[in-house]
Structures are given as C-alpha cells and as structure tokens.
Amino acid sequence: MKLTILGCYAATPRTITNPTSQLLEIRNRMFLIDCGEGTQVQLRKNKIKFSKINHIFISHLHGDHFFGLVGLVSTFMLLNRANDLHIYGPKGIKEVILLQLRLSNSWTNFGLYFHELESKISEVIFEDEKVIVKTIPLKHRVYTNGFLFQEKIGDRKLNIDAIKKLEIEACYYQKIKNGKNITLNDGSIVDNVLVTFDPIPVKSYAFCSDTAYDETIVSTIRNADILYHESTFLESEHHLSEKTMHCTAIEAATIALKANVKQLILGHYSTRYESITHFREEAETVFPNVLLADDGVCFDF
C-alpha cells in the first residue's frame, strides 16, 4: 500500500502548498481521492500515469476538494483516453461536471460514469476481487463522506518444500491456495495448514477530511491500519474549529486513539501557521504514532 500526498492544505492554493488530493495505490489499483486545484500538475510532478487512474472519490463539493476535477477530465479527453472513468461523490457532482463539459463543448471520448452518494450511513460503493471501499459519513457544513479502503484476504501461500515431499501434482496448487485439503493417491488426507502458509496480512486505509469532531465514525474505522484525519487547527484556534466544523490536531488524535488505529496521518492544515510540526507535537500528547502529510510526500506501508 502506497499513499502519495498531492495536496493537504485547507482552503486556497498557494505557490508552496496545494489543496486536498491524494493517490492511494493498493493491490495494483490506483484510487484518486479528492481533486483540488492543481491536482493534475501534482500528478505529473510525481510521475503518476493518468491512464492508471480509473476511479476518483470526491468527499464533498467544497472547491478545495473538487475544483480540479473538470480540468483533469478534460485532460484525459485531450490525451485520447480509452478506459472508462468512474467518479464517486455527493449528489450534484454529475450535474456540475457535465454542465462545464457541455458549455465548453468538451464531451469525453471515453465512458464517464458518476456514482452519486446520498446515504448518511456507511455503505459499500466499490468492490472487486481484491479491494472493497466503504463510505465514512462525516460531519461538515455540507454533505460529506470519508472513504475506507480495505484489502481482501488473498490466497494462502504454498509451502513448496512440503508439497514436493508429498509429491502433490501442480494441478492441485490453486485448490491448495484456496484453503482446501488434499487427498493423496493412497487415500490419506493432507490438512491444508501442513502445505501452506498464512496469506499476506491485509491492510486498510481510512480517509477522513473534512469533518467536525465526531465519535460516531469510530465504529466504521476501528482497527484501521492507517487513518488520515483532518487537523485544520491547533488548540489555540479551537474556537474556529467549532465554527467551521473542522478538527484540531488533538481531536484527530483522540479519534485515532478511540478507534485503535495503528498509524495516524495529519493533514488539511490551515495556512495561517508557519510550521506544521506543531500539529504532530500536539497530537502526540494523545496518540503516539503520528505522521505529517505534506505535498509530495509518499508513505509506503
């Protein structure tokens, strides 16, 4: 699992920072999460192939989280994209994107599919044989979701030495990886655990931005390997977090602690602060495993 932070600052773009967008690589899939202004430039800077992005998840319809989307879709068209593109976001996202495309006479030459979200409870919005994605309903000024990305348990790993010793034929390998016992030619049954190793442990990633402090998300993200949680303010500006329905670093850390996650990544910093190191310092008073997102930073888990 690899996470590339394309942008992680609140509100307006600056010459040195970008609004929210990130790319999650999980089980050979690339998922773009939010698409603030400048996202496609950041994708190029990080040498990410546009053609590998087939699914985009938009948390909410505030500009710093989706104003880069129509530009990216238009660029896909100019690059003669062939793959279908799926966009998951709040109800209304289809209308706003298609309006811009229609008025600019910029229709796509690829399949463009919108999956509009309205539910206020967690729901599965994407699933294939390797990954499942669920919404994390958040508490913000407009309808907002976070997203929980979970790997599915893979095949068991073959114990080749044990298999060769028992002279098991290769045609049974997939059955063994699927966890089945094997019957030998003499009629004896070999327990699967004797010829396999446990599958690679699965990982999960929870993205939560933007939101007020809300403990109701704990049950959805409980035991996640990595939690990205917005931390717009430090405690000195706690009064602003309540007004704007954002969180402080300490509040993000409290959610991480209550949800028993393994690693917390902070982001969505207000640009009023000269240094983001104070966010980690405050969060670590509550939760020990804290990383700081920053534009261009990659986390390889």
Side-chain angles (χ1 to χ4, degrees), residues 17 27 36 65 73 82 111 166 187 193 202 209 229 244 246 271 282 291:
T17 62
R27 290 288 178 89
H65 292 260
V73 170
L166 292 169
V193 296
V202 296
S209 182
H229 197 291
T244 61
H246 284 294
T271 55
E282 289 196 356
L291 296 172

Side-chain angles (χ1 to χ4, degrees), residues 166-178:
L166 292 169
E167 298 181 346
I168 298 174
E169 296 180 27
C171 61
Y172 295 108
Y173 285 5
Q174 187 57 53
K175 181 179 180 180
I176 295 172
K177 289 195 289 184
N178 291 341

Side-chain angles (χ1 to χ4, degrees), residues 81-189:
R81 179 188 177 94
N83 296 346
D84 292 343
L85 179 65
H86 294 263
I87 297 173
Y88 308 79
K91 184 176 178 58
I93 193 167
K94 179 178 180 179
E95 178 183 1
V96 69
I97 296 300
L98 291 186
L99 175 64
Q100 294 175 89
L101 294 176
R102 178 173 62 83
L103 292 179
S104 62
N105 195 27
S106 302
W107 299 111
T108 63
N109 48 1
F110 54 87
L112 181 59
Y113 299 94
F114 292 90
H115 307 265
E116 294 194 305
L117 309 175
E118 297 181 88
S119 177
K120 294 184 179 180
I121 61 174
S122 180
E123 60 179 341
V124 174
I125 57 174
F126 171 85
E127 183 174 9
D128 65 12
E129 69 276 10
K130 292 186 177 182
V131 179
I132 184 169
V133 184
K134 301 175 183 177
T135 57
I136 308 169
L138 299 176
K139 186 178 180 181
H140 196 40
R141 302 192 304 277
V142 296
Y143 176 76
T144 306
N145 284 299
F147 303 102
L148 177 64
F149 300 82
Q150 297 172 300
E151 295 178 336
K152 290 186 176 180
I153 297 176
D155 291 340
R156 296 187 64 79
K157 301 302 176 182
L158 298 177
N159 182 339
I160 295 299
D161 291 338
I163 287 173
K164 287 182 176 179
K165 186 176 181 179
L166 292 169
E167 298 181 346
I168 298 174
E169 296 180 27
C171 61
Y172 295 108
Y173 285 5
Q174 187 57 53
K175 181 179 180 180
I176 295 172
K177 289 195 289 184
N178 291 341
K180 305 297 184 181
N181 297 335
I182 294 296
T183 301
L184 301 180
N185 292 332
D186 62 4
S188 60
I189 297 176

